[in-house]
Amino acid sequence: MTNCLLLYYTGTFNTRYVTNILKSRLEKVDFNVETYEIDPLNTERLDLSKYDIIGLGYPIYGYNAPWPFLKFILKQKFPKGMKVFIYKNSGETEIANDASSISVVHKLRFNGAVCKNEYHFLMPYNIHFRFDENLVKEMLDMDEKLYDILVYEITHDIPNIKKYKLFPRFVAFWVKIQFIGGDINSFLYKVHHDKCTHCGLCIKRCPTKNIYENKKGQVAFHHNCLMCMRCSFFCPTAAIDIGFLQGWKVNGRYDFAKIRQLKLDKPYITKDTKGFFKCYIKTYDYINTRHKEIFGE
Ligand SMILES: Cc1cc2nc3c(=O)[nH]c(=O)nc-3n(C[C@H](O)[C@H](O)[C@H](O)COP(=O)(O)O)c2cc1C
Ligand code: SF4
Ligand code: SF4
């Protein structure tokens, strides 16, 4: 039995969703899997010595791993030579997104672990714009193949790590949106009081307890925001204004259970896809080709 820990950070629960599927996939090949969701207010040191392998999951933020995730990893002491793999996720697959692993791999090396595998799952945007459900369905189908690849490569000890060229590393270094964005932007967060129904969901769910009810009984913000988007994404009345990113706000969860049942008449991404989603062509090609190499048709 292989003891495995899936250690992850999530803002709007896409990474939790990926983690739960990965857990059940690994259990099918007799892994004993525990999960641990990082709480930004509790950077405790875990006993990692009881695991044979650790998976690290995170959403990509501005081409980087989220700061609370990096902070948590830095705090840990990995047993020497511990096997680690990365399973990150994000909305689009530009190469600078992949470069987000560089700082994670460096921090792991510094802390004694060896990362030989990394996988980039496709999950819809929780910021910028809402994805069409047909595309989300196609992404989830592609992810199914990527879980297969991950499980196969991990169980057969096949490394899969990318080498990043200078340009994506350069872009990833400079676009650390949440490192400054959270601190500055949190002064601009506000609630449209005419829309707020005082359901309390945002207060209850904010991972840093950054939201409270003031003396006037209005929902208000402190200045300890991680830009995770949990409050504005799940607010049932879209009452939260996210400052300079308001034009990029996405409100309302994606119903993955329902989306998975959709039947697609035609592919959303084709070889002729232009513009924003062009980067998916290469990603789909890679996943399909690797899947075929391992499992045949
Ligand atoms: C502050 C912030 C920055 C983001 N930056 C990127 C990005 O650079 N590239 C990308 O493809 N998606 C980006 N996203 C989208 C998320 O990576 C994506 O929606 C992810 O699935 C969210 O996972 P979570 O629900 O576990 O937080 C960003 C989201 C946030 C909140
Ligand atoms: S989640 Fe939205 S409606 Fe509910 S208390 Fe917060 S701002 Fe108001
Ligand atoms: S205020 Fe909203 S975006 Fe900021 S940390 Fe809390 S839930 Fe996340």
Side-chain angles (χ1 to χ4, degrees):
M1 190 68 110
T2 304
N3 290 318
C4 172
L5 174 67
L6 298 178
L7 174 59
Y8 68 99
Y9 171 80
T10 186
T12 52
F13 309 133
N14 282 357
T15 313
R16 187 192 282 175
Y17 179 80
V18 172
T19 301
N20 287 337
I21 298 181
L22 192 52
K23 179 178 189 305
S24 67
R25 290 302 202 97
L26 288 166
E27 282 169 347
K28 281 195 184 128
V29 290
D30 268 351
F31 274 41
N32 176 31
V33 185
E34 285 176 31
T35 60
Y36 183 95
E37 188 169 305
I38 293 172
D39 170 358
L41 295 181
N42 178 17
T43 313
E44 60 176 329
R45 185 178 270 190
L46 306 175
D47 173 14
L48 301 178
S49 63
K50 54 184 172 169
Y51 303 106
D52 304 304
I53 186 162
I54 298 174
L56 299 176
Y58 64 86
I60 296 168
Y61 280 7
Y63 301 154
N64 281 277
W67 175 236
F69 172 82
L70 291 173
K71 206 167 102 190
F72 196 89
I73 297 305
L74 266 178
K75 176 87 180 178
Q76 306 309 311
K77 183 97 194 93
F78 291 84
K80 211 168 170 37
M82 167 66 78
K83 275 194 222 168
V84 173
F85 65 92
I86 291 173
Y87 62 99
K88 56 201 167 185
N89 73 90
S90 81
E92 94 272 330
T93 57
E94 293 294 355
I95 193 158
N97 280 311
D98 281 346
S100 68
S101 324
I102 294 167
S103 50
V104 182
V105 172
H106 283 174
K107 284 179 177 48
L108 286 171
R109 209 174 290 149
F110 180 73
N111 280 12
V114 188
C115 179
K116 287 196 181 158
N117 293 68
E118 58 174 309
Y119 302 89
H120 185 165
F121 289 87
L122 308 172
M123 291 299 281
Y125 269 166
N126 58 0
I127 192 172
H128 201 184
F129 58 85
R130 193 171 189 83
F131 277 20
D132 184 296
E133 291 195 348
N134 292 303
L135 172 61
V136 180
K137 157 75 178 155
E138 204 171 85
M139 291 160 78
L140 297 181
D141 288 349
M142 250 336 127
D143 284 345
E144 287 298 319
K145 291 187 178 177
L146 196 56
Y147 295 118
D148 291 341
I149 296 170
L150 183 157
V151 172
Y152 182 87
E153 291 183 341
I154 296 294
T155 49
H156 289 77
D157 240 340
I158 302 170
N160 184 347
I161 195 113
K162 298 191 176 80
K163 284 200 169 57
Y164 297 106
K165 298 201 177 88
L166 209 57
F167 182 66
R169 296 173 74 134
F170 178 80
V171 176
F173 180 80
W174 286 107
V175 191
K176 292 182 176 170
I177 185 168
Q178 42 127 21
F179 285 74
I180 47 159
D183 289 345
I184 300 170
N185 200 27
S186 63
F187 285 92
L188 306 173
Y189 268 54
K190 62 176 188 246
V191 167
H192 293 288
H193 299 299
D194 52 329
K195 287 190 187 167
C196 176
T197 57
H198 300 273
C199 69
L201 199 65
C202 56
I203 298 175
K204 200 167 114 207
R205 279 192 162 172
C206 172
T208 58
K209 304 199 188 317
N210 190 41
I211 313 176
Y212 66 105
E213 202 169 67
N214 66 18
K215 285 183 185 146
K216 291 187 205 153
Q218 295 169 332
V219 173
F221 295 87
H222 298 294
H223 302 294
N224 186 20
C225 176
L226 302 172
M227 289 181 73
C228 72
M229 301 300 145
R230 197 178 289 176
C231 54
S232 58
F233 188 76
F234 291 110
C235 170
T237 58
I240 296 176
D241 186 316
I242 56 170
F244 68 73
L245 291 171
Q246 179 64 4
W248 278 15
K249 185 168 86 172
V250 178
N251 176 255
R253 72 182 190 98
Y254 296 91
D255 186 342
F256 293 130
K258 191 186 110 205
I259 291 172
R260 286 179 85 130
Q261 303 306 319
L262 291 176
K263 299 258 177 296
L264 295 183
D265 301 337
K266 52 182 175 34
Y268 195 95
I269 303 290
T270 68
K271 64 179 177 30
D272 302 318
T273 298
K274 303 252 179 315
F276 188 83
F277 292 112
K278 202 171 164 208
C279 58
Y280 276 52
I281 301 174
K282 213 166 139 198
T283 307
Y284 281 20
D285 275 355
Y286 164 73
I287 295 176
N288 283 329
T289 308
R290 183 70 187 126
H291 198 267
K292 213 182 269 181
E293 266 169 23
I294 300 174
F295 305 101
E297 281 304 327

